[in-house]
Amino acid sequence: MKLYLFLLLLLSLGTQAQMQVNGIVTNKKQQPLPFATISTDNNLTTITDVDGKFSIASNALVNSLSVTYIGYELKTIPVRGDKIFYTIILKQETASLKTVVVSNENPALNIIRKTIAAKRNTNPQNRWTTFKYKNYNKLIVTANPDSIRGYIDTTITHRNTSRQRIEIDSANYKFKELISKQHLFQTEKVSQFDFSNNKLKQTVLGIKMAGFKQPIYEIMGFNLQSLSIYDTKYELFETKYNSPISVDALHDYNYKILDTIKIKGRPTFMVYFKNKKKSRANGLEGALYIDTENYGIAQALMRIRGVLDISGRHEFEYLENEKIWFPQSTTFKIVKGKNDDDIKILGGTIQFEGDTEKDFKTRKKQATDFTYVLSQSNTFDLEYNVPIRIQRPAIAMELTEAAITREESFWKKYRKDSLDIRSQKSYVLLDSISIAKRIESRLKFGRKVIDGYLPLGIFDFDLRKLISYNNYEGFRFGIGGVTNDHLSKNFRIEGYSAYGTKDGVFKYNIGSGFRVGKLTNSWLNASYTDDVREIASTVYAVDKRVFKLYDPRPINISTFYHYVSYKANFQTRIIPKTEALLEFSRSYIEPKFDYLYNLNGQLYSDYVMTTAMLSIAWNPFSEYMQTPTGRMESEKRYPKFTLQYTQALPNVLQNDFLFGKIDFKTEVEKKYLNGQKSSALLQLGYAYGNVPLTHLYNTGPNNLTKETIFERITFAGRNSFETMYFNEFFSTEYAMLQLKHGFNRITLLSVLKPSLVLVTRMAWGDLQKPEQHVGPTYKTLNNGFFESGIELNQIYKGFGLSGFYRYGPNGLAKIQDNIAVKLSFRLDLGL
């Protein structure tokens, strides 16, 4: 399913007959006047956007428009029935400006300071200990049919040397016919919001998504805009900005008084704000309507203009008894921004009309370019300072099976307005399309493929097990997977079998699990494994499965150890915002390289390890959703933390060594709306006691010991040291830091769009008791290891190229030995 956004701000969605008037307000220099107030003679009011444009619709006849803007004369113009667009030029009110007494400071700054100071009384979350309310939300992807020119006789001309061919192009006609009957996507939601102990929780009472019996939970958890205008960080389309009324807002924003108008009968200052850094892309700007008496926010408009043009509107209701403004409604809208590329949102692809010329041609404007995303919410049934107890406060959103199966009587009760004809037909038509095209089953199939499984009957085959390569096994062919819900939702069997063409040995795994907690995703599992693993590698048991058609780094690894392992574990999400795994295992270890472990004069060529391991992933800043099928991370926020502790159990099942390992990592990631992304990864490891080399740390090397640069060209890993040679360093304790910044994709040719990524990696470490390890030669990381490089990913069909340079205390004498050139491959599966 493709979702498309359009070029201009359009009018209403309804098919009812309405009088619609569009226009723009400017000064004599033709400069647009943002947030000018437009009033009609039948008491309708709107304001211009940041480009000075406005749109107003009325079911009744509009005879005149009145426009006001601070510092300009009031202007009233007649409205004619045959004219729908007006250019209104305001004249500066010079005489009035001379009478205004202005201090040395911008008067808007004084208003903002008072607004910030008043938040302890005007913010409901500060003013009241508890409150609750219900909210109705409707989200659609749609278009205004009147904006689309669609004729069955539209022609396209193709010139081919001397021949000219004319074809009938009915695409616009068909799209206009479709959009006149229905929306492209539609969902409704009714929620109960409860606030207590500084926690705001949403309980979904009803959810209805056109075309789906089971809602798409990822869309439900999508954060379009902040619920509160008073938060320190204001969020718009999952991007956080410093709020224009945060404590330090005056450092980031310029302010200007535009007007004084009445909201709900109360006078307000209309204050325009904009980010001070003119070069900053996607900076937040907008207008605040501030009560002149209590300095509460009576209305707010937020907007970012860049890759997308996104606007959020907040309207408030004044509670006379409490002398406070409480949120009444919100409106969120996305239209085309300063971009020519397709962008992913709500699980689909948004396609924009091209503004720039490519190959000396401008992309033809299509009917689907006029679509947009619109979300509208209304608040009702407010109660405050009443007893409220929030269950599971760490869960931001919760819904039950009952919310998915609500009857029509439920929706009629909570809708503010009845559905128009187009919205009613959307449910019928999209449901029928979904059934005919098996959209839900195909979506479920696609999700599993993205996760790396091929569902066939009761079994999901693991695509990662099919084929791989390394220098020890050669080509590794295999098959494996896990049973799915078609067999049982509470029991599973999983396993795999593989064969290496070089070592000529079969490897296999068999395991099973029982679900003991549905809401907490709790499972008891047991398994038996006979396989090989890279030496000194660190695996976090709770890491999210990431599907790759192949893992490029192991291609050149030749040092493995054979292990036969019995494991039993308990995995759960019962602790808020965590995923935890407690595991007990007994493993027989046999190094498959020249190595002996010397423990007090006794040499071990193989050994037994009996261990207990606790692995916890903690995402304290993420938001979680409780669904009928379990708990999921609905909004990923950083930093994320993972801690893993492994302890050998003395005198248990013939355990040979007493040791412990503590592993920790934290990840930080920031995505920008223009496509850029910054990330940081910090990993720490500490092993104590008697630990063989097979279970120490190698910090992820990925370079071959070859003479020339070209001989060392291999595929790059994702987080590996590309200039560090295999088995060059080993550590009992280490620290590794990786910094990355990815720029937006660069268009070189229509088929060449590489993404540029700057990378820096560094590591420090030490090795205790080096005399215990007999056989291999190695170095330690006492003086640190440093490399930096450039990645050009996805140059053509997923393939890319990268180059890295090694420097610092562990730099090598020959310059060419410090250089690593790598190939890369990134398969975009829509994640």
Side-chain angles (χ1 to χ4, degrees), residues 192-203 388-398 573-578 618-626 631-632 634 637:
Q192 168 86 37
F193 285 86
D194 296 289
F195 177 81
S196 180
N197 295 322
N198 292 318
K199 296 287 185 181
L200 183 66
K201 180 172 182 176
Q202 178 182 180
T203 302
I388 295 176
R389 183 183 178 187
I390 298 179
Q391 300 289 337
R392 294 187 289 272
I395 306 299
M397 182 188 298
E398 192 164 354
R573 291 184 175 180
I574 193 170
I575 305 173
K577 300 194 175 187
T578 68
W618 181 41
N619 307 322
F621 304 102
S622 294
E623 297 289 353
Y624 281 82
M625 179 192 303
Q626 187 71 59
R631 190 173 301 171
M632 61 176 290
S634 58
R637 293 178 180 172

Side-chain angles (χ1 to χ4, degrees), residues 123-403:
N123 182 359
Q125 295 187 16
N126 293 335
R127 180 75 170 272
W128 297 328
T129 56
T130 65
F131 61 80
K132 62 180 180 179
Y133 63 89
K134 291 185 177 67
N135 180 275
Y136 168 79
N137 172 262
K138 180 181 177 183
L139 184 148
I140 58 175
V141 179
T142 191
N144 185 351
D146 295 335
S147 302
I148 303 166
R149 296 183 60 190
Y151 303 99
I152 196 67
D153 60 348
T154 301
T155 61
I156 299 179
T157 301
H158 298 274
R159 298 186 183 276
N160 183 12
T161 62
S162 60
R163 296 186 59 186
Q164 179 175 332
R165 184 175 56 175
I166 299 178
E167 297 176 347
I168 300 298
D169 176 21
S170 59
N172 286 7
Y173 175 84
K174 289 180 179 179
F175 182 77
K176 182 173 183 176
E177 187 179 39
L178 170 70
I179 208 66
S180 297
K181 297 177 182 178
Q182 66 179 77
H183 303 307
L184 300 177
F185 177 80
Q186 177 173 288
T187 182
E188 294 179 278
K189 182 175 67 174
V190 176
S191 301
Q192 168 86 37
F193 285 86
D194 296 289
F195 177 81
S196 180
N197 295 322
N198 292 318
K199 296 287 185 181
L200 183 66
K201 180 172 182 176
Q202 178 182 180
T203 302
V204 179
L205 305 178
I207 177 71
K208 189 175 184 181
M209 194 170 289
F212 298 92
K213 292 181 180 179
Q214 296 289 326
I216 304 174
Y217 298 124
E218 291 85 349
I219 292 181
M220 290 182 58
F222 208 83
N223 194 20
L224 299 178
Q225 64 188 129
S226 290
L227 293 173
S228 174
I229 199 70
Y230 292 100
D231 291 342
T232 301
K233 297 293 183 180
Y234 181 81
E235 192 161 0
L236 202 58
F237 194 47
E238 294 200 322
T239 302
K240 288 187 175 183
Y241 304 87
N242 198 24
S243 168
I245 54 171
S246 65
V247 175
D248 58 347
L250 273 66
H251 296 291
D252 293 333
Y253 295 98
N254 288 319
Y255 300 87
K256 178 183 179 182
I257 300 177
L258 297 184
D259 210 341
T260 54
I261 64 173
K262 287 190 175 182
I263 303 291
K264 306 294 175 64
R266 293 183 61 82
T268 65
F269 299 112
M270 183 181 180
V271 179
Y272 170 69
F273 66 90
K274 187 174 184 179
N275 196 283
K276 287 183 177 180
K277 299 178 182 178
K278 294 181 180 180
S279 61
R280 181 176 176 179
N282 308 315
L284 187 67
E285 62 181 315
L288 301 173
Y289 295 77
I290 301 170
D291 192 303
T292 59
E293 180 181 332
N294 63 14
Y295 292 91
I297 304 298
Q299 195 173 113
L301 297 170
M302 304 293 197
R303 188 178 181 188
I304 51 177
R305 293 185 294 173
V307 174
L308 301 174
D309 192 340
I310 306 172
S311 60
R313 185 182 185 118
H314 298 256
E315 296 186 5
F316 298 77
E317 178 184 6
Y318 187 71
L319 306 180
E320 187 65 42
N321 293 335
E322 293 291 317
K323 308 296 183 185
I324 193 173
W325 292 88
F326 191 82
Q328 183 182 46
S329 66
T330 58
T331 302
F332 173 89
K333 195 170 185 179
I334 302 179
V335 299
K336 179 188 180 297
K338 301 173 182 177
N339 187 62
D340 192 29
D341 295 325
D342 295 350
I343 289 180
K344 292 175 183 176
I345 173 180
L346 300 177
T349 301
I350 302 170
Q351 190 179 55
F352 290 130
E353 175 203 357
D355 280 339
T356 58
E357 292 188 355
K358 291 183 178 179
D359 300 330
F360 308 102
K361 293 182 180 180
T362 302
R363 183 170 74 82
K364 177 178 166 56
K365 189 173 187 178
Q366 303 296 320
T368 49
D369 291 322
F370 287 101
T371 58
Y372 57 88
V373 177
L374 178 68
S375 175
Q376 295 176 307
S377 297
N378 296 287
T379 296
F380 53 95
D381 291 350
L382 170 66
E383 297 180 55
Y384 48 89
N385 293 332
V386 294
I388 295 176
R389 183 183 178 187
I390 298 179
Q391 300 289 337
R392 294 187 289 272
I395 306 299
M397 182 188 298
E398 192 164 354
L399 73 154
T400 62
E401 191 69 40

Side-chain angles (χ1 to χ4, degrees), residues 565-681:
S565 179
Y566 298 86
K567 295 181 180 180
N569 64 57
F570 173 66
Q571 61 181 112
T572 183
R573 291 184 175 180
I574 193 170
I575 305 173
K577 300 194 175 187
T578 68
E579 182 167 353
L581 184 142
L582 176 62
E583 181 175 272
F584 296 91
S585 68
R586 181 191 185 275
S587 301
Y588 166 77
I589 308 297
E590 180 187 8
K592 307 303 288 185
F593 60 103
D594 183 20
Y595 175 72
L596 294 173
Y597 182 59
N598 181 4
L599 180 59
N600 300 323
Q602 183 176 351
L603 299 177
Y604 289 84
S605 60
D606 55 68
Y607 32 87
V608 173
M609 291 183 171
T610 305
T611 60
M613 179 186 69
L614 177 63
S615 187
I616 299 177
W618 181 41
N619 307 322
F621 304 102
S622 294
E623 297 289 353
Y624 281 82
M625 179 192 303
Q626 187 71 59
T627 75
T629 57
R631 190 173 301 171
M632 61 176 290
E633 190 179 8
S634 58
E635 186 178 349
K636 297 179 182 179
R637 293 178 180 172
Y638 293 86
K640 295 171 174 286
F641 305 95
T642 305
L643 177 66
Q644 186 163 287
Y645 173 61
T646 305
Q647 178 62 54
L649 303 177
N651 304 317
V652 177
L653 299 177
Q654 301 176 323
N655 177 57
D656 284 319
F657 309 130
L658 183 61
F659 67 91
K661 291 182 69 176
I662 302 173
D663 299 291
F664 171 82
K665 71 174 179 178
T666 181
E667 302 169 84
V668 179
E669 183 178 290
K670 181 175 177 58
K671 293 182 178 180
Y672 306 94
L673 206 58
N674 61 5
Q676 297 188 40
K677 181 173 73 172
S678 298
S679 64
L681 171 64

Side-chain angles (χ1 to χ4, degrees), residues 752-781:
L752 295 179
K753 296 182 179 180
S755 62
L756 173 65
V757 182
L758 303 181
V759 185
T760 292
R761 298 186 182 98
M762 55 199 78
W764 298 266
D766 196 7
L767 181 67
Q768 305 296 328
K769 303 178 182 178
E771 68 278 1
Q772 292 182 332
H773 311 290
V774 181
T777 58
Y778 52 83
K779 296 186 289 186
T780 62
L781 290 169

